[in-house]
Amino acid sequence: MDMPLPADSRVAAEAARRRSFAIIAHPDAGKTTLTEKLLLKGGAIQLAGQVRAKGNARRTRSDWMKIEQERGISVATSVMTFEKDGTVFNLLDTPGHEDFSEDTYRTLTAVDAAVMVLDAAKGIESQTRKLFEVCRMRDIPIITFVNKMDREGRDPFDLLDEIEKTLALEATPVAWPVGQGQDLRGVYDILHPSLRMVDSDEVIPLTGLDDPTIEARVPGDRAATLREQAELAAGACAEFDLGKFLEGSLTPVYFGSALRDFGVAHLLEGLARFAPPPRPRPADVRTVRPEEPKLSGFVFKIQANMDPQHRDRVAFLRICSGRLEKGMRLRQVRTGKLVPVNAPLFFFAKDRQVAEEAWPGDVVGIATHGGIRIGDTLTEGDLLNFQGVPSFAPEHLRRVRLDDPMLAKKLRKALDELADEGVVQLFRPLDGSQPIVGVVGLLQLDVLQSRLRAEYGVPASFEAAPWSTMRWMASEDREAIERFSAANRMDMAQDHDDEQVAFFTSDWRRKRAEEEFPMIRFLPVREQH
Ligand code: GDP
């Protein structure tokens, strides 16, 4: 039931100028380079994947940060806020390595749009497609940036065709490249006829494709080629349709080179113009509109402090409605507890800064000493839970083996806290045996092991669990679930939110259970709360 709540015009205005987005890309397509260039445009620069604390020099890096460095992957997800021409951009960074895809999925629940970066020579790659599927599940509008146009690559028509065919997404070029590789001169802006040349910020206005200015700027037969191709593209591709873009069925395509800082300004203008501001968001009891005066938001990420001596964490809260003010106390709906927000962190420019206020679409960091979990809703108003932060059935299950039994209690606490953070999923077998951890990617286990040692002083290792897969269970028929549990007592466990789960030793056994208990749905994905 939707209850109309009074809108606050200041909240509405601040929400309207915000664009919160993520970049999705296959590793090496140029996400990091593009991120840096985007931040430079907004006059804010923060190294991607690093939340830098004040007093950087004093910080000791814990072991898991070493893993990150050694393997050259970014475990951390961070937020970068920058402002350009009155628009506030919140760029939510996602880890590139697929072993941390859960982190990425959760981050995508907190954005309103995504930029899909393709390498012009490679087109759609495996990781691009996976991330795209997550965006599609949530109908996230996608802007495409074809990167590395300064290198020999594939034909733009071929790339557009690939987007349409492999992603079933209409692709509309909003720019058309003038040359490619060493020959790249610039792009022609199809939506707003103009030329943008490489190595220049100038935008040369045109009356259209037959404007003779093109000859003056693009010498030789390149002008004729451009005309021919741009006309062909206009005929062959769907016209840009804002409605289709917003519902996630059409992508505007930009061409450029992040390395040479070409096409990046154009992309940013596109984000400001086309990407949506925060939209109404469904919660369990009603839909929440951003302009509602009372603050609400949800936690999609928790990051441990890099300093193992201080076990404080930062919970990343995506604001969905209202105004966040320093010093507020927010209700944590899951527990009913009040959470003081004395120093909300904003990730502006180089450092974290304490924010005085924040608005829908923004992400603020809230210091916590535990107790806040991924998926938690925090609110100033009525009690509701935002939907959609997903958990995926782990690909690997392991039993935790403790070398020193004296540390059992410490291990339990450590696992609880790390599960709150979403480092791994935690399951407690109903027969009381050792906890089981579940991960989507095996590198998560390395992170868990080194953090247990570095931050909690608990040396632990993992051994094979008898099961290979798990499912959450749902049924209107409570009794059926009870019957199933009683018959499979040794394979039952509770997840971190006390939901019952079933373990299976093989896919074959899982399928058999599904056949024998058709009234139970065995779910591979669970949306928290
Ligand atoms: P990520 O893995 O997606 O973050 O990719 P990076 O931004 O780290 O880029 C991967 C490699 O491609 C690096 O060597 C970059 O210098 C290079 N690169 C990124 N953008 C461009 C570009 O526009 N043109 C060319 N020629 N190289 C690029």
Side-chain angles (χ1 to χ4, degrees), residues 102 106 390-398 400 415 418-428 435-440 444-445 448 470 472 494-497 501 503 524-526 528:
E102 278 201 290
R106 292 191 288 246
S391 295
F392 295 88
E395 306 273 329
H396 311 277
L397 295 164
R398 294 283 186 278
V400 183
L415 286 175
L418 294 171
D420 280 351
E421 270 185 53
V423 174
V424 288
Q425 293 184 51
L426 183 60
F427 304 99
R428 295 202 159 73
I436 300 289
V437 292
V439 294
V440 173
Q444 285 176 267
L445 288 176
L448 175 65
M470 61 71 63
W472 285 275
Q494 276 186 331
D495 77 0
H496 196 48
D497 290 316
V501 306
F503 288 139
V525 182
R526 185 172 81 89
Q528 257 149 30

Side-chain angles (χ1 to χ4, degrees), residues 154-459:
R154 282 163 55 183
D155 178 56
F157 283 107
D158 185 27
L159 290 165
L160 293 168
D161 193 50
E162 187 180 46
I163 297 171
E164 300 222 332
K165 292 231 168 76
T166 60
L167 305 182
L169 180 69
E170 282 186 81
T172 301
V174 292
W176 197 264
V178 183
Q180 195 168 351
Q182 287 196 337
D183 215 24
L184 178 71
R185 290 293 182 275
V187 294
Y188 170 77
D189 183 335
I190 298 175
L191 288 190
H192 307 94
S194 51
L195 278 175
R196 291 165 183 259
M197 308 307 284
V198 169
D199 299 329
S200 154
D201 290 333
E202 197 187 355
V203 180
I204 306 155
L206 301 173
T207 53
L209 263 182
D210 35 12
D211 193 321
T213 315
I214 296 182
E215 266 76 19
R217 295 295 188 138
V218 183
D221 51 7
R222 290 198 193 89
T225 309
L226 166 66
R227 279 203 185 96
E228 193 186 314
Q229 292 190 339
E231 267 163 24
L232 195 60
C237 302
E239 228 174 276
F240 182 67
D241 179 323
L242 188 63
K244 282 188 181 173
F245 162 65
L246 291 176
E247 70 183 31
S249 64
L250 178 148
T251 182
V253 181
Y254 291 78
F255 292 88
S257 161
L259 191 65
R260 294 188 55 183
D261 196 3
F262 175 65
V264 179
H266 198 195
L267 172 69
L268 200 58
E269 287 167 31
L271 267 166
R273 188 168 300 157
F274 305 128
R279 294 194 271 187
R281 195 171 272 262
D284 49 357
V285 289
R286 65 182 183 85
T287 293
V288 178
R289 288 177 300 127
E291 63 274 19
E292 290 178 19
K294 295 259 162 112
L295 183 106
S296 69
F298 65 91
V299 174
F300 65 93
K301 159 98 195 155
I302 294 178
Q303 184 162 322
N305 196 312
M306 318 292 173
D307 184 348
Q309 304 309 313
H310 300 97
R311 220 175 289 133
D312 58 327
R313 280 132 226 280
V314 176
F316 289 77
L317 180 77
R318 150 80 202 220
I319 299 177
C320 299
S321 71
R323 166 171 178 261
L324 182 124
E325 210 179 325
K326 195 175 103 183
M328 255 179 167
R329 286 153 72 84
L330 298 175
R331 181 81 58 193
Q332 180 184 26
V333 179
R334 180 171 55 82
T335 60
K337 284 191 184 142
L338 280 173
V339 177
V341 186
N342 295 326
L345 296 170
F346 231 150
F347 303 93
F348 254 129
K350 284 205 204 78
D351 288 311
R352 314 170 173 191
Q353 291 175 359
V354 172
E356 293 300 322
E357 54 184 11
W359 307 94
D362 285 342
V363 170
V364 293
I366 296 176
T368 159
H369 298 287
I372 295 187
R373 266 187 207 172
I374 285 179
D376 271 352
T377 295
L378 301 183
T379 165
E380 181 196 3
D382 46 345
L383 300 183
L384 45 82
N385 279 299
F386 287 105
Q387 310 286 291
V389 180
S391 295
F392 295 88
E395 306 273 329
H396 311 277
L397 295 164
R398 294 283 186 278
R399 213 183 270 286
V400 183
R401 198 183 61 208
L402 183 61
D403 302 329
D404 179 355
M406 297 299 282
L407 295 174
K409 208 171 141 199
K410 230 173 156 185
L411 174 69
R412 210 172 314 133
K413 180 169 182 288
L415 286 175
D416 265 337
E417 289 189 5
L418 294 171
D420 280 351
E421 270 185 53
V423 174
V424 288
Q425 293 184 51
L426 183 60
F427 304 99
R428 295 202 159 73
L430 293 191
D431 67 7
S433 57
Q434 283 294 320
I436 300 289
V437 292
V439 294
V440 173
L442 285 172
L443 275 182
Q444 285 176 267
L445 288 176
D446 294 8
V447 172
L448 175 65
Q449 191 172 34
S450 55
R451 288 192 58 185
L452 280 173
R453 194 170 356 99
E455 295 172 36
Y456 297 89
V458 182

Side-chain angles (χ1 to χ4, degrees), residues 26-33 147-148 150-151 257-259:
H26 190 87
D28 256 12
K31 188 179 75 165
T32 313
T33 313
N147 190 31
K148 307 198 187 179
D150 59 317
R151 282 223 298 239
S257 161
L259 191 65

Side-chain angles (χ1 to χ4, degrees), residues 68-89:
E68 180 172 306
Q69 280 179 326
E70 278 162 15
R71 308 205 184 195
I73 51 174
S74 161
V75 179
T77 304
S78 63
V79 181
M80 291 150 274
T81 299
F82 56 99
E83 191 169 341
K84 172 101 173 112
D85 299 333
T87 303
V88 178
F89 296 92

